[in-house]
Amino acid sequence: MEFFPFVKEKILFKGPEAKEAFAFKYYDADRVVLGKTMKEWLPFAMSWWHNLGAAGTDMFGGNTMDKSWGVDKEKDPMGYAKAKVDAGFEFMQKMGIEYYCFHDVDLVPECDDITVMYERLDEIGEYLLKKQQETGIKLLWATSNCFGHRRYMNGAGSSNSAEVYCFAAAQIKKALELCVKLGGKGYVFWGGREGYETLLNTDMKAELEHIAQLFTMARDYGRKIGFTGKFYIEPKPKEPTKHQYDFDSATAIGFLKAHGLENDFQMNIEANHATLAGHTFQHELRVSADAGMLGSIDANEGDFLLGWDVDRFPADVYSATFAMLEVVRAGGLTGGFNFDSKNRRASNTYEDMFHAFILGMDTFALGLLNAAAIIEDGRIDEFVKARYATFHEGIGAKIDAKQATLEECAAYALDKKVCADPGSGAEEKYQEILNQILFGKK
Ligand code: XUL
Ligand code: CO
């Protein structure tokens, strides 16, 4: 069955002048930018949950979209799960998207009995593998949803109940096996309920130790069954939990280092989570990259006026430009760009699903082209280098090489008597240069 007959063939690059709706204006998969093709810089992925599952429900109202894929989920759960796979692969093939991502419960309807879940996941795993072989589409990352089921009301790895903890372990074990079977590049942990509502009832130290132990066991089991990819933590400060333990990259990186997990784990940075943490997307990427732990990206954006995770498709070219500067400077990602983004509730047609992905892919393609232009122009990089020139010689070089003492630094200052001006930060000048590079001739 064809789900999206209005898109006849694979959507192609038609260029910035094109007026056709179903065409890329900037994403040109084989165009070489800074030595790699756009496709290599931008391994895009479709998120199973939003694109094939989310039907427009919000806190105040039910579905606005039809994501039943022609099957009654209650009567025929596996028929529904397979129709969803068919729809997903048709969508990805038409979009030219080569990767997908899922939670266990996105693939098959969730039920209380975990042995039934295991059977369902085995069956869908076979079906997915066959589809992957037929189409060449690959798995970017897998994860387990250890936050939706009522048993996780007090957390999963951070639950007060060891039994709940073991159910989370069982879900992670199965999802890892599925990830290995499907050749997934990565495995994600997002701790939606790993945190607390009030410290009044919480043993924070114990909860953090338990989470670290769960990651360690997952790492060990993954390596044992042949998983060679990276584990990713996806920081988020809040929502649904009031305080989430993997608050932001700096917090998550510190946590991983404290528990000896830094070689196996990296960050999966989500743009909207960064803004919820009070950071820019670029900040989170920079912190991760500087620690050598920039792994993957969940591409979306928030809203200035709304304080929650709106998961809107990325349209902000400035933000994508700054993000791509970080990615390019880091030499690329070990993972890719998963559109953990959903259509607005009122964008409720299947056509809107395609428009959303064209928007997201073109936004990041523009970001990449802009990042390349900034790097090739060189003025901004040169200025940043020049700002730190005093650390390239004399006492500065000694400080940089970690060879100076406090006494030496103080002696230097006393010798100078009065401090020289550190130089203008020239923010406006370089913002102007940025706009010139970005927008050029008009
Ligand atoms: C929630 C979120 C998740 C993770 C995977 O905010 O981003 O969908 O990406 O669990
Ligand atoms: Co996400």
Side-chain angles (χ1 to χ4, degrees), residues 123-386:
E123 192 179 333
I124 208 69
E126 287 302 323
Y127 198 68
L128 281 166
L129 189 61
K130 208 171 101 254
K131 279 277 180 184
Q132 288 190 183
Q133 285 158 353
E134 279 166 21
T135 59
I137 287 171
K138 301 175 277 290
L139 176 64
L140 185 69
W141 53 255
T143 187
S144 58
N145 177 327
C146 294
F147 47 86
H149 193 278
R150 64 184 296 283
R151 65 178 169 262
Y152 299 122
M153 61 187 168
N154 294 322
S158 64
S159 176
N160 58 305
S161 156
E163 183 160 321
V164 170
Y165 188 95
C166 290
F167 270 75
Q171 269 187 260
I172 293 166
K173 177 173 179 286
K174 192 68 186 171
L176 268 168
E177 288 163 8
L178 209 51
C179 185
V180 171
K181 183 190 174 89
L182 298 172
K185 281 177 81 174
Y187 188 88
V188 163
F189 288 97
W190 170 61
R193 299 210 191 262
E194 312 294 32
Y196 61 81
E197 295 299 328
T198 167
L199 284 174
L200 205 58
N201 65 11
T202 303
D203 184 344
M204 186 160 81
K205 190 165 193 290
E207 291 195 359
L208 285 166
E209 292 293 335
H210 295 163
I211 294 171
Q213 183 57 18
L214 190 58
F215 289 164
T216 305
M217 293 190 296
R219 190 264 321 264
D220 293 346
Y221 183 69
R223 297 303 178 222
K224 187 163 121 189
I225 62 168
F227 176 63
T228 53
K230 286 287 181 191
F231 292 90
Y232 299 122
I233 302 282
E234 189 177 317
K236 188 178 181 183
K238 57 186 170 198
E239 200 208 87
T241 308
K242 191 157 79 183
H243 176 90
Q244 269 161 225
Y245 292 136
D246 48 14
F247 196 93
D248 61 2
S249 306
T251 310
I253 290 167
F255 178 80
L256 292 171
K257 287 189 175 169
H259 294 92
L261 293 165
E262 68 272 25
N263 295 327
D264 299 280
F265 282 71
Q266 292 185 322
M267 295 298 115
N268 181 46
I269 299 299
E270 178 161 327
N272 203 167
H273 295 183
T275 44
L276 287 176
H279 300 309
T280 59
F281 184 21
Q282 185 186 21
H283 169 90
E284 287 294 86
L285 296 170
R286 176 77 64 91
V287 169
S288 306
D290 284 349
M293 291 167 85
L294 174 54
S296 207
I297 284 177
D298 267 16
N300 57 27
E301 65 188 35
D303 188 290
F304 290 123
L305 303 180
L306 299 174
W308 62 89
D309 196 7
V310 300
D311 286 340
R312 197 167 55 194
F313 272 86
D316 181 340
V317 177
Y318 270 105
S319 172
T321 299
F322 293 134
M324 288 313 297
L325 262 178
E326 300 306 319
V327 170
V328 167
R329 286 179 176 143
L333 301 171
T334 55
F337 293 76
N338 168 46
F339 286 112
D340 187 1
S341 321
K342 56 184 180 227
N343 280 104
R344 296 305 81 195
R345 184 172 148 78
S347 307
N348 66 340
T349 67
Y350 289 151
E351 283 85 347
D352 287 315
M353 288 166 58
F354 285 85
H355 291 309
F357 273 77
I358 292 172
L359 167 69
M361 290 163 78
D362 268 345
T363 298
F364 271 88
L366 271 170
L368 172 63
L369 293 170
N370 287 340
I374 292 166
I375 290 168
E376 277 159 0
D377 176 271
R379 279 176 289 174
I380 293 176
D381 282 342
E382 266 167 43
F383 176 63
V384 174
K385 201 164 163 230

Side-chain angles (χ1 to χ4, degrees), residues 44-174:
F44 290 124
M46 180 193 79
S47 85
W48 216 255
W49 55 104
H50 285 319
N51 208 42
L52 306 175
T57 297
D58 69 11
M59 299 283 270
F60 302 96
N63 291 351
T64 56
M65 309 167 193
D66 178 7
K67 299 265 174 99
S68 67
W69 311 116
V71 183
D72 184 336
K73 187 170 156 175
E74 305 305 323
K75 286 201 187 113
D76 183 7
M78 288 314 292
Y80 161 74
K82 286 178 186 166
K84 213 170 168 184
V85 173
D86 295 343
F89 276 73
E90 184 190 326
F91 183 83
M92 288 187 279
Q93 279 183 293
K94 289 186 169 171
M95 281 304 312
I97 288 184
E98 296 193 348
Y99 293 93
Y100 66 102
C101 300
F102 63 76
H103 301 82
D104 45 3
V105 308
D106 306 329
L107 295 180
V108 296
E110 192 172 20
C111 61
D112 288 339
D113 184 337
I114 196 146
T115 62
V116 175
M117 280 304 281
Y118 268 38
E119 282 163 19
R120 289 182 179 180
L121 289 169
D122 284 340
E123 192 179 333
I124 208 69
E126 287 302 323
Y127 198 68
L128 281 166
L129 189 61
K130 208 171 101 254
K131 279 277 180 184
Q132 288 190 183
Q133 285 158 353
E134 279 166 21
T135 59
I137 287 171
K138 301 175 277 290
L139 176 64
L140 185 69
W141 53 255
T143 187
S144 58
N145 177 327
C146 294
F147 47 86
H149 193 278
R150 64 184 296 283
R151 65 178 169 262
Y152 299 122
M153 61 187 168
N154 294 322
S158 64
S159 176
N160 58 305
S161 156
E163 183 160 321
V164 170
Y165 188 95
C166 290
F167 270 75
Q171 269 187 260
I172 293 166
K173 177 173 179 286
K174 192 68 186 171

